[in-house]
Amino acid sequence: MQAPLPLGSRPPVLRMSAVDKVFGADIVALKGMQLDVNQGDFISLLGPSGCGKSTALRLIAGLMTPTTGRIEWSGGTGQGDLGVVFQEPTLMPWTTVAKNVALPFRLRGKSGAEVADAIRNALDLVGLSGFENAYPRELSGGMKMRVSIARALVTNPRLILMDEPFAALDEITRFKLNNDLLDLKTKTGCTVIFVTHSVFESVFLSDRIVVMAARPGRVIRTLEVDEPYPRAEAFRTTPEYAAHCRAASDALHDAMGIAA
Amino acid sequence: MTIASDAPTPTMDSEELRRARLARIQLVAKWTLPVIVMALTLLAWHLYVTINEVPHYILPSPAMVFQTMFTDWGLLSAAAWVTTKLSLYALALAVIGGVALAVLFTQSKWAEMSFFPYAVILQVTPVIAVAPLIQIYVDSAFAAALICAWIVAFFPILSNTTIGLKSADHNLRDLFTIYGATRWQRLIFLDIPSALPFFLGGLKIAGGLALIGAVVAEFVIGRSGTGLGLASTLLEASYRYNFARLYAALFLISGLGIMIFAATSLISHLSLRKWHESALNRES
Ligand SMILES: Nc1ncnc2c1ncn2[C@@H]1O[C@H](COP(=O)(O)OP(=O)(O)OP(=O)(O)O)[C@@H](O)[C@H]1O
Ligand SMILES: [Mg+2]
C-alpha cells in the first residue's frame, strides 16, 4: 500500500492546455479545457449531458485530436499507458474472463508467467478470483463491470479513464462497486479520471471534482475534496461529506443554469 | 440466471413438478408428432392409391416407391453421391470465396466499390438463364453444374460475412485502438469473432441454396444425356413415366436437403453455444 502524497506534491502525469474540440462547423463540444492530472489523483468530471465529458476522455485516450490546444504527457512525447472503462462492460463475449483481462497484453504480444501473474492479481483485486474460465454471459452486470475494471488496471497503467462506468447498474451494486473502487485505488495508487452524473459518487470517490457546463462544453468550477483516503462507507454519513455534496450540487446547478 | 444472485434453495413444489412434466412431454412430442404425421400421410396415400386403383404411372403407392428405392439403389445411390458432391463442393467453394471476398471488401473500400456490384449482378441474374452459357464454355458437365451451384450459394455467405465483419462493438474497436492493435490483430481477435454468428447464419442459407443450385444445374445441364445426379435421374424418370423412381429420387433430394440443414445447424450450434445469445438455453 502506497501512502498517498499530499495534493500539492504529486508528480504530473498529463496536462491539457486550452483544448478546444469543434465537431463539424459549429458544434463546440469543448472550449478552453484546462486540466492537470497528477499521479495518484482521483478526478471526477461532473456535469449535465452534452457538456463534453466523454469528448475530454476520448481526447486524452488519443481517439481524437483537439481542434486547438495541447495534451501533453509528462516525461515523453507519446501517449502514456492507459486503461479504459466504458459505461458498458465492453467484454468480448466469445472468450473467457481471463482472456478478456489478458487483452492488453495479447495485443502487445506479451505472454508468459508475468502476464499470468498480472491477470491473477487483477482478478483478485476486483474480487473475481475463481472466475477465470467463466464466459461473460455467465456473470451479472456488476461482475462484468469488475472484469472490465480488471482489464483496465492489469497493465498497471499510468492513467485509468472511466466513462460513467456504474451508470447502468442498480444502486446497491453501484455502492458496492464505489467502495471496492476506492479500496482498489488505495491498494494500487492508480490515477483515475472518472466521468459521472452523480454528485454523491463524485464526492465519495474523488479528491478533485471538475464541474462542467454545456454549450459550449467547458469547466466552470473545480472543487477539492480534501478528505483522506482510505474512505470507509461511514464517510457517506459525515457532515463533511454532506457539505461537499452541497457544494458540488450548487456548482452543478450553476452549470445547468448557465447551460439552459 | 446469474452466478451472483443467491438462488433460493430449490424446493420442488407441485407447480414446479407440473412444469417439469410438461417440459418432458414437449420434448417427446417434438419428435413423435412429426413421425406420426408422416406415418398417417403415408397411410392415407397408400389407401388412396389401393382403394381407387390408381395406375402407377399416375401415382405410385408408397410401398412401390420404397421398393423402387431398393431395386434401383445402384443407380439412385450413384446419382445421390453426385448430387451430394456437387452441393458440398459448391458450399465449400462458396465459403472460401465468400469469406475471402468479404475480408477483402472490409479491408479495402476500393475493392468493395469495384467488385460488390458484380457480386450483386451474379446474385440477381437467375442461374437457370446462365447455366446454358456455362455449359457451352465448360466441357465437364460436373464442373459446369458446380459453377452454377456455387453462384447460387456464395452470395449469402459474402453478404452476411461482410456485415458481420463490420459489426464489432464500437467501444471494443476503440479499446483496440487505444491498445495499439495492428490491422491484423483487429481482424483476427475482433472482426472475425464478431462476424462468426453472421457467417453461420449465411452458411445455413447457403447450404440449402447449394442443393437448389445443384438441382437447377442438373436440370439444365444434365438433360443432354450426361446423367448427372438425382435431379437428372428425376427428370429422366419423368420422361419415361417411371413415377416410382421419380418419387424415390425426390425423397432422396429432400433427405439430402434435410441432412445439409441439420449439419449446418449443428456446426452453428457447436460454434456458438458457449457465448452467443442465439445458442443459449436459458431457464425461463
Ligand atoms: N463525433 C461527434 N460528432 C459530432 N458531435 C459530437 C460528436 N461527439 C460528441 N458530439 C457532441 O459534442 C457534445 C459533447 O458530447 P459528449 O459526448 O462529450 O457529452 P457528455 O458530457 O459525455 O454527455 P453524456 O453525459 O450524455 O455522456 C454534444 O453536444 C455532442 O452532441
Ligand atoms: Mg458521455
Side-chain angles (χ1 to χ4, degrees):
Chain A
M1 184 166 134
Q2 285 162 251
L5 291 165
L7 263 178
S9 61
R10 300 175 183 176
V13 172
L14 170 122
R15 162 170 290 177
M16 293 176 86
S17 22
V19 168
D20 289 3
K21 181 68 190 178
V22 184
F23 289 110
D26 54 358
I27 302 173
V28 185
L30 268 186
K31 181 132 192 71
M33 175 100 181
Q34 198 78 31
L35 186 68
D36 281 289
V37 183
N38 301 314
Q39 201 179 310
D41 282 356
F42 198 119
I43 300 173
S44 283
L45 302 185
L46 177 67
S49 196
C51 69
K53 306 181 293 291
S54 298
T55 304
L57 288 199
R58 293 176 66 78
L59 287 167
I60 294 170
L63 292 169
M64 312 186 290
T65 48
T67 310
T68 57
R70 278 190 310 185
I71 297 176
E72 292 160 303
W73 289 80
S74 69
T77 45
Q79 177 195 307
D81 206 5
L82 268 178
V84 184
V85 181
F86 301 95
Q87 183 170 342
E88 288 83 38
T90 314
L91 304 176
M92 299 179 288
W94 53 82
T95 192
T96 59
V97 164
K99 290 202 171 136
N100 266 288
V101 175
L103 181 72
F105 292 120
R106 186 170 211 187
L107 293 180
R108 286 165 193 169
K110 286 189 198 161
S111 57
E114 251 175 75
V115 166
D117 278 348
I119 292 164
R120 202 169 316 117
N121 194 20
L123 283 174
D124 198 29
L125 276 171
V126 297
L128 281 183
S129 297
F131 286 95
E132 285 81 0
N133 296 320
Y135 281 78
R137 69 166 177 92
E138 299 169 307
L139 308 179
S140 67
M143 292 163 93
K144 282 185 204 159
M145 197 41 90
R146 288 169 188 275
V147 178
S148 192
I149 294 171
R151 177 181 60 195
L153 56 82
V154 73
T155 56
N156 198 12
R158 292 177 73 191
L159 180 59
I160 298 178
L161 305 176
M162 301 186 146
D163 195 348
E164 302 187 45
F166 308 142
L169 300 175
D170 62 275
E171 186 144 305
I172 297 172
T173 311
R174 185 179 232 216
F175 270 39
K176 176 90 178 83
L177 277 168
N178 278 175
N179 292 338
D180 293 355
L181 182 59
L182 272 195
D183 246 17
L184 213 143
K185 180 201 150 34
T186 322
K187 281 186 190 146
T188 63
C190 56
T191 311
V192 181
I193 303 181
F194 188 97
V195 166
T196 178
H197 280 129
S198 160
V199 167
F200 305 112
E201 198 170 54
S202 68
V203 171
F204 184 64
L205 291 175
S206 39
D207 49 20
R208 195 148 34 112
I209 303 173
V210 175
V211 184
M212 299 175 69
R215 274 171 296 261
R218 65 205 181 281
V219 176
I220 59 157
R221 204 169 309 165
T222 301
L223 307 167
E224 291 196 355
V225 185
D226 48 357
E227 304 294 332
Y229 296 99
R231 294 173 187 168
E233 179 70 41
F235 176 50
R236 289 190 195 274
T237 49
T238 61
E240 291 81 7
Y241 176 78
H244 286 298
C245 284
R246 191 164 314 121
S249 184
D250 286 348
L252 190 58
H253 275 129
D254 284 353
M256 289 163 71
I258 294 167
Chain B
M1 191 208 72
T2 58
I3 293 177
S5 65
D6 318 344
T9 37
T11 47
M12 281 290 242
D13 54 22
S14 63
E15 170 68 12
E16 272 173 274
L17 278 172
R18 204 182 56 83
R19 208 178 297 148
R21 217 179 55 222
L22 194 69
R24 249 195 329 272
I25 291 171
Q26 272 179 354
L27 188 70
V28 175
K30 198 174 153 190
W31 294 100
T32 49
L33 284 183
V35 171
I36 291 172
V37 169
M38 168 79 92
L40 287 178
T41 310
L42 288 179
L43 185 66
W45 176 2
H46 184 77
L47 290 178
Y48 172 78
V49 170
T50 44
I51 291 170
N52 296 306
E53 295 177 356
V54 182
H56 65 81
Y57 51 83
I58 292 184
L59 183 65
S61 72
M64 193 175 170
V65 172
F66 285 112
Q67 199 189 350
T68 311
M69 194 88 85
F70 281 107
T71 51
D72 292 0
W73 182 244
L75 181 140
L76 285 170
S77 63
W81 180 233
V82 173
T83 304
T84 306
K85 274 198 299 186
L86 257 184
S87 309
L88 292 188
Y89 286 178
L91 185 59
L93 291 178
V95 167
I96 295 169
V99 169
L101 264 186
V103 169
L104 180 72
F105 283 1
T106 45
Q107 295 299 301
S108 157
K109 271 207 169 60
W110 302 112
E112 182 171 14
M113 273 188 224
S114 312
F115 295 116
F116 192 73
Y118 295 99
V120 173
I121 290 172
L122 212 56
Q123 159 72 7
V124 298
T125 310
V127 73
I128 200 156
V130 192
L133 270 182
I134 295 174
Q135 192 185 7
I136 294 172
Y137 298 117
V138 180
D139 280 339
S140 148
F142 185 83
L146 182 57
I147 292 173
C148 292
W150 174 80
I151 289 176
V152 180
F154 125 104
F155 193 77
I157 305 251
L158 169 68
S159 79
N160 271 33
T161 311
T162 307
I163 293 172
L165 286 170
K166 294 176 180 175
S167 73
D169 179 89
H170 67 276
N171 282 333
L172 268 176
R173 268 179 210 289
D174 285 348
L175 206 63
F176 272 61
T177 309
I178 288 166
Y179 289 131
T182 63
R183 213 174 160 154
W184 180 245
Q185 287 176 322
R186 202 180 279 272
L187 180 67
I188 299 293
F189 297 136
L190 180 60
D191 292 337
I192 288 182
S194 305
L196 191 64
F198 293 80
F199 162 77
L200 290 167
L203 183 70
K204 274 196 220 171
I205 301 170
L209 285 180
L211 179 61
I212 292 176
V215 165
V216 168
E218 284 183 23
F219 272 2
V220 179
I221 295 166
R223 187 174 289 163
S224 40
T226 45
L228 269 173
L230 282 174
S232 307
T233 306
L234 187 152
L235 203 62
E236 218 171 274
S238 84
Y239 293 151
R240 299 181 186 184
Y241 294 94
N242 188 348
F243 280 16
R245 187 187 285 173
L246 186 154
Y247 274 96
L250 184 58
F251 284 170
L252 287 176
I253 291 176
S254 290
L256 183 54
I258 292 168
M259 260 152 44
I260 292 176
F261 181 78
T264 50
S265 298
L266 184 70
I267 291 173
S268 173
H269 179 76
L270 290 180
S271 335
L272 299 181
R273 83 198 137 124
K274 285 237 172 86
W275 64 275
H276 198 257
E277 288 296 334
S278 69
L280 298 186
N281 275 324
R282 294 231 177 225
E283 295 160 41
S284 51

